[in-house]
Amino acid sequence: MGKLAAPGIKTFGVLAVLVTLCARPVIGDAIMMTQAMTASSIAEIFISEEGIRLELEIGGADLPGFRNLMPDEVYQRMGYEPKPLAERYPLFFQQDLVFRGDGGPPLPARVLAMEPRPRVRRDVITGEPMPLAEGEEVETVIYAVLEYPFRAQPSTISIEPPKSDQGAAAANIGFVAYHDGLPINDFRYLSSKEILDLDWGDPWYSRFRNRNLRRQYDSPISAFLYVEPYEVRTEIIVRPIDMEQWIDLGLEDRDTLPVEMQFELKRKIAEFLADHQNLLIDGQPVEPELDRVNFLRRTLRTSTVIDPPEELDVYSATLGVIYVAPTEGLPQEAQITWDLFSEKIQRVPAAATDEAGPLRFFLVPDDNVLWWKNFLKNPTLPTLVDIAPPPGLGVRLLSWAGWAFLLAFLVLVATQIWGAIKGRSIGKRLVPTISLLVVVVICLGLTLPNRMNQERSEEIVAALLHNIYRAFDFRGEENIYDVLEQSVSGDLLTEIYLETRRGLELASQGGARAKVKEIEMLQVESKPVPGEQGFVARSTWNVSGSVGHWGHVHTRTNQYEADLTIQPVDGAWKVTNLEILQEERL
């Protein structure tokens, strides 16, 4: 056993008070939690070439399991018979919380620090530290830092948590382990002995033998196939250091990837992977075009593009490459045949995704085809809404004639009434009066459907917005412009194109564009354009969209308030002016 250093404790009295506070029943709630990152005690294990650094947050409910680590005053306040700390330290490191290298004796250890402090608030999915909300109160825990130096680098490490006299777990511990800064597992419970195999050449491949302790992103390469109307997209996530077994990237003996070499890395890897797509669409080989290539930061919640670029650790650096193949409508079948396997890469997570969701698969050397077939009974294809055209000159003339005839009819009726008052017969004038009334009814009846009212203006606004957003379902800027031109006047076309595209792009995904799923009209208030045909509509609407990337579905909902000027152009209703008054990300 190595030398045991006294802990750097601010005051034993504070720890003693902590024991009293932690004895309150409220602490029992923490033990009932199911997520490991909310366990009563948290252990973060950092493994490096020099040894192991263990950072502990010990909750009050777990103090008995860590009693031999506590100062004498705290130990006795917990109700135990006095026993010197010098005698209890060896018990803790050799019997309570035990680390062994290569199955040998317990590793020597020392306590670097111990103090009470507020519990770290963690994300309930990823376990990552989060800032406290203003005024938020959290439990006080005992924070301890322990160090286990290596005499020689072990190939395996075993971890044995504290046990009760009956052999059950004596503490509720959530833990995560890191090897040279790379997480080996997602937050999990440490309730029994676990064995960790270390890969000192590449810590990415360090793994616990217990498969339940594997992290979610455990594979160095993943492949995804997305099939949508007008395009098939392939996406590959890969570590550059793993690509070195196929192409020379100059990464040997490097610990980091500086920003200045990242562009060339992305180019070489994208070109290499383009030759290994082996993509078939409806039975025909296709060479997809490179769309985007970015370094990614991945968490259990999402994968985001690293922008602006920064220096990256060579072992954790992860690259995402996207290729796109345009299609005519929705294909019936698509597949990629994977041929990048090696001694360490024998299983590649993959998924084929359409609007029904992903179908997950694992590519292996004997079963290496990621296949998609159109089993959708009613696939959603981009469709535009037909909008009744504005009234033409003939309709407007007919309307004016109807009002003129109505005026004449009223004059004729008034004349007949006056004649009746004077005692003159009106029988001879009855036929022309009725005939004129019929003409009035026909003229106004034919023009009534074209009258602009609140309901009609709402229908036109909703239809135009639908068609504007649906234009972005099509592939290629030229096609999008052609569809947009049906709803937007020429002078405004470029502005609407850029503004709508910006609203649909996800900056965190390197400019990936969401596909609109729903347009919800909230309010439309219209008024006529003075002296012109058309109207101005102050409109509020929500736009919801989503895009699938890297095995995640990213969603976005924006709310807009804008003034839209809508007028007849070339025989169709079009937006001729747009003023965004407010935009909000919901």
Side-chain angles (χ1 to χ4, degrees), residues 108-186:
R110 57 189 175 190
V111 179
L112 300 182
M114 188 184 299
E115 64 183 29
R117 75 173 191 185
R119 179 184 293 280
V120 174
R121 183 171 177 261
R122 299 181 183 277
D123 184 277
V124 295
I125 294 178
T126 66
E128 295 174 350
M130 297 177 61
L132 294 177
E134 185 176 353
E136 181 179 3
E137 295 184 3
V138 295
E139 173 195 359
T140 299
V141 296
I142 295 177
Y143 173 71
V145 181
L146 316 181
E147 186 179 70
Y148 301 75
F150 291 146
R151 292 193 179 98
Q153 290 180 355
S155 58
T156 66
I157 291 176
S158 65
I159 310 171
E160 303 169 31
K163 295 289 184 182
S164 66
D165 294 338
Q166 291 75 33
N172 184 10
I173 303 174
F175 87 109
V176 62
Y178 301 85
H179 185 189
D180 282 344
L182 270 71
I184 302 169
N185 62 297
D186 301 322

Side-chain angles (χ1 to χ4, degrees), residues 496-562:
I496 292 267
Y497 171 80
L498 295 175
E499 179 64 31
T500 307
R501 188 180 69 175
R502 182 191 63 80
L504 295 176
E505 285 182 347
L506 284 75
S508 64
Q509 298 303 313
R513 194 163 60 236
K515 294 292 182 73
V516 171
K517 300 298 182 183
E518 182 181 6
I519 304 167
E520 180 186 9
M521 298 302 303
L522 302 178
Q523 187 175 9
V524 177
E525 296 178 358
S526 61
K527 58 182 180 181
V529 177
E532 299 183 34
Q533 190 182 4
F535 60 95
V536 176
R538 175 155 295 185
S539 307
T540 305
W541 70 94
N542 291 342
V543 181
S544 299
S546 66
V547 60
H549 270 323
W550 324 125
H552 292 278
V553 175
H554 308 275
T555 60
R556 162 172 286 186
T557 299
N558 286 354
Q559 183 173 107
Y560 295 92
E561 182 181 2

Side-chain angles (χ1 to χ4, degrees), residues 320-337:
V321 192
I322 302 175
Y323 303 86
V324 172
T327 62
E328 296 290 337
L330 183 69
Q332 296 304 304
E333 191 172 346
Q335 68 178 53
I336 58 175
T337 302

Side-chain angles (χ1 to χ4, degrees), residues 237-290:
I237 296 179
V238 63
R239 289 196 315 155
I241 196 169
D242 283 296
M243 298 300 297
E244 277 253 300
Q245 57 194 307
W246 295 295
I247 52 175
D248 182 14
L249 298 174
L251 303 183
E252 188 175 357
D253 298 327
R254 277 195 169 275
D255 294 323
T256 62
L257 300 180
V259 172
E260 55 268 20
M261 74 176 299
Q262 292 178 15
F263 177 83
E264 184 65 12
L265 274 177
K266 292 191 289 187
R267 185 190 66 80
K268 286 184 176 181
I269 292 174
E271 288 182 357
F272 177 83
L273 292 176
D275 295 331
H276 291 267
Q277 295 287 294
N278 301 315
L279 174 64
L280 295 179
I281 300 177
D282 290 333
Q284 299 299 314
V286 176
E287 294 184 7
E289 304 169 356
L290 177 65

Side-chain angles (χ1 to χ4, degrees), residues 172-381:
N172 184 10
I173 303 174
F175 87 109
V176 62
Y178 301 85
H179 185 189
D180 282 344
L182 270 71
I184 302 169
N185 62 297
D186 301 322
F187 258 95
R188 292 292 184 268
Y189 286 105
L190 181 63
S191 56
S192 61
K193 178 180 177 179
E194 302 293 351
I195 298 177
L196 171 62
D197 293 314
L198 297 171
D199 189 323
W200 291 101
D202 187 346
W204 177 275
Y205 293 100
S206 295
R207 291 186 172 94
F208 284 98
R209 294 181 185 178
N210 181 354
R211 294 190 63 86
N212 293 327
L213 298 183
R214 299 284 176 88
R215 63 180 180 269
Q216 178 173 327
Y217 299 126
D218 190 57
S219 176
I221 297 181
S222 303
F224 304 94
L225 178 66
Y226 291 87
V227 182
E228 300 174 355
Y230 304 110
E231 75 173 30
V232 171
R233 191 169 69 250
T234 58
E235 302 180 353
I236 300 170
I237 296 179
V238 63
R239 289 196 315 155
I241 196 169
D242 283 296
M243 298 300 297
E244 277 253 300
Q245 57 194 307
W246 295 295
I247 52 175
D248 182 14
L249 298 174
L251 303 183
E252 188 175 357
D253 298 327
R254 277 195 169 275
D255 294 323
T256 62
L257 300 180
V259 172
E260 55 268 20
M261 74 176 299
Q262 292 178 15
F263 177 83
E264 184 65 12
L265 274 177
K266 292 191 289 187
R267 185 190 66 80
K268 286 184 176 181
I269 292 174
E271 288 182 357
F272 177 83
L273 292 176
D275 295 331
H276 291 267
Q277 295 287 294
N278 301 315
L279 174 64
L280 295 179
I281 300 177
D282 290 333
Q284 299 299 314
V286 176
E287 294 184 7
E289 304 169 356
L290 177 65
D291 188 56
R292 290 187 300 279
V293 52
N294 300 102
F295 281 99
L296 304 177
R297 181 174 288 111
R298 308 191 81 189
T299 73
L300 294 179
R301 282 191 180 273
T302 188
S303 301
T304 56
V305 168
I306 298 176
D307 186 29
E310 61 188 50
E311 186 172 76
L312 303 171
D313 179 85
V314 73
Y315 295 112
S316 62
T318 304
L319 198 63
V321 192
I322 302 175
Y323 303 86
V324 172
T327 62
E328 296 290 337
L330 183 69
Q332 296 304 304
E333 191 172 346
Q335 68 178 53
I336 58 175
T337 302
W338 191 259
D339 61 2
L340 297 177
F341 295 99
S342 66
E343 182 179 351
K344 284 189 172 181
I345 302 174
Q346 289 288 301
R347 192 169 180 260
V348 177
T353 302
D354 57 24
E355 66 176 273
L359 181 62
R360 303 194 182 279
F361 190 71
F362 285 100
L363 298 166
V364 295
D366 294 334
D367 193 1
N368 64 335
V369 177
L370 179 60
W371 179 72
W372 173 89
K373 188 173 178 62
N374 185 11
F375 290 111
L376 299 169
K377 293 183 178 180
N378 296 296
T380 303
L381 297 176

Side-chain angles (χ1 to χ4, degrees), residues 27-185:
I27 300 302
D29 294 339
I31 300 177
M32 300 302 293
M33 296 288 186
T34 56
Q35 295 100 336
M37 69 286 297
T38 60
S40 176
S41 296
I42 297 295
E44 292 187 276
I45 304 168
F46 302 90
I47 303 169
S48 65
E49 295 181 358
E50 292 75 29
I52 300 171
R53 177 184 172 92
L54 174 63
E55 296 186 9
L56 288 169
E57 288 182 10
I58 306 171
D62 290 336
L63 285 177
F66 291 90
R67 61 188 181 277
N68 289 321
L69 191 63
M70 297 296 106
D72 291 337
E73 181 181 350
V74 176
Y75 181 81
Q76 294 175 36
R77 188 178 288 268
M78 293 171 65
Y80 296 103
E81 293 296 325
K83 181 181 291 188
L85 185 62
E87 295 181 17
R88 290 188 286 108
Y89 266 179
L91 293 176
F92 179 81
F93 293 115
Q94 296 178 20
Q95 298 179 16
D96 296 340
L97 182 58
V98 182
F99 286 81
R100 302 178 190 270
D102 294 327
L107 294 176
R110 57 189 175 190
V111 179
L112 300 182
M114 188 184 299
E115 64 183 29
R117 75 173 191 185
R119 179 184 293 280
V120 174
R121 183 171 177 261
R122 299 181 183 277
D123 184 277
V124 295
I125 294 178
T126 66
E128 295 174 350
M130 297 177 61
L132 294 177
E134 185 176 353
E136 181 179 3
E137 295 184 3
V138 295
E139 173 195 359
T140 299
V141 296
I142 295 177
Y143 173 71
V145 181
L146 316 181
E147 186 179 70
Y148 301 75
F150 291 146
R151 292 193 179 98
Q153 290 180 355
S155 58
T156 66
I157 291 176
S158 65
I159 310 171
E160 303 169 31
K163 295 289 184 182
S164 66
D165 294 338
Q166 291 75 33
N172 184 10
I173 303 174
F175 87 109
V176 62
Y178 301 85
H179 185 189
D180 282 344
L182 270 71
I184 302 169
N185 62 297

